[in-house]
Amino acid sequence: MREELYPQGLEVVTVALDTLGLKATLPFIEAANPTHPSLIDEGHLLDELFGFVNVPSGVWLDEQGMIVRPPEPAPTPRDARRSKVEVPRLIPEEAKTYIEEMTVEVKKMVEVGKIRNDSEKYFRAVRDWVSNGSNSRFALSPEEVLNRSRPRPVEEAVGAAHFELGQYLYRQGKTDLAVAHFREAHRLQPDNWTYRRQAWSMANVIQGPTDLYESDWLKDIRKSGAENYYPALDMD
């Protein structure tokens, strides 16, 4: 989409939200080989500034730097290419762990298939905005942007502080203390999947069960329902 619309004035900027920085994100960026700016937000600053609670999410900014659509799901196409999984050669004691991890991955894929995907609607709206600019029915007024923006109660501010402390302590190698703050951030912002996924992935790269947290990605998405993982796009 970026290659198609860049000549018409659209630039796409992707930002990876990951406390582990290059270590966690560079392989994916290199595999995608993007031509657009691909940034890394180690401190989850975009979470604080825009109120992201899950990824992928998108914000639309016009030529004057004004927000014309606040954070909302920015779904990837269902037919997006996926990397082929290569089965490694394993010694017997490694095989059990690998099988367990792959079993979790298969179960996750089943749930992913149930997640709402409004990618066609989203891309149609982007193209309309690029073609019509401020006259596009998808370009919201400042008042509409404010009305659609998520409320930010004090619990979210305290949760963000705990999450930031958790990141700091994790970088200092104080994992136990970091986990305590991550857990508190999860309690204060129970709908923030970004906070949860970050903590889970640092404990288990596939966000599976660990002794550090009562929940994991698969358990929580089954609990809330995959169809509720992303809110429906309000683009009608």
Side-chain angles (χ1 to χ4, degrees), residues 142-163:
E143 293 74 23
E144 290 175 306
V145 170
L146 288 175
N147 288 335
R148 290 194 180 198
S149 297
R150 299 177 65 252
R152 308 293 292 276
V154 66
E155 290 83 5
E156 288 205 6
V158 177
H162 278 288
F163 187 73

Side-chain angles (χ1 to χ4, degrees), residues 149-210:
S149 297
R150 299 177 65 252
R152 308 293 292 276
V154 66
E155 290 83 5
E156 288 205 6
V158 177
H162 278 288
F163 187 73
E164 188 171 349
L165 279 169
Q167 292 182 89
Y168 171 78
L169 291 165
Y170 186 88
R171 294 190 188 102
Q172 300 300 311
K174 300 177 181 179
T175 305
D176 291 343
L177 292 175
V179 167
H181 285 287
F182 286 144
R183 289 163 67 106
E184 189 63 7
H186 299 169
R187 185 185 70 81
L188 291 165
Q189 290 199 38
D191 65 339
N192 194 319
W193 281 91
T194 300
Y195 283 1
R196 279 188 274 175
R197 292 172 66 179
Q198 180 65 83
W200 294 335
S201 65
M202 291 193 292
N204 181 317
V205 69
I206 63 171
Q207 301 176 36
T210 68

Side-chain angles (χ1 to χ4, degrees), residues 12-107:
V12 173
V13 179
T14 54
V15 185
L17 304 175
D18 205 301
T19 304
L20 300 182
L22 282 172
K23 177 183 176 182
T25 62
L26 187 59
F28 295 95
I29 295 174
E30 289 181 336
N33 192 29
T35 55
H36 61 265
S38 300
L39 311 181
I40 301 171
D41 180 0
E42 295 184 12
H44 285 256
L45 296 178
L46 290 187
D47 298 26
E48 298 177 26
L49 293 172
F50 290 109
F52 290 133
V53 295
N54 207 344
V55 294
S57 293
V59 172
W60 293 10
L61 305 175
D62 67 13
E63 296 88 340
Q64 286 73 46
M66 294 294 292
I67 299 173
V68 297
R69 290 195 75 89
E72 61 192 345
T76 55
R78 286 195 181 277
D79 61 350
R81 290 177 299 171
R82 296 186 178 276
S83 300
K84 183 166 57 177
V85 177
E86 295 185 4
V87 179
R89 295 180 180 274
L90 302 170
I91 57 178
E93 53 265 34
E94 293 177 327
K96 181 180 178 182
T97 300
Y98 177 77
I99 292 171
E100 290 174 349
E101 290 181 350
M102 289 305 296
T103 300
V104 171
E105 284 296 301
V106 170
K107 290 179 179 178

Side-chain angles (χ1 to χ4, degrees), residues 1-14 34-38 59-63 126 129-130:
M1 185 186 68
R2 188 268 183 183
E3 299 307 307
E4 171 196 341
L5 298 177
Y6 180 74
Q8 301 177 46
L10 176 75
E11 180 58 288
V12 173
V13 179
T14 54
T35 55
H36 61 265
S38 300
V59 172
W60 293 10
L61 305 175
D62 67 13
E63 296 88 340
V126 172
W129 178 46
V130 172

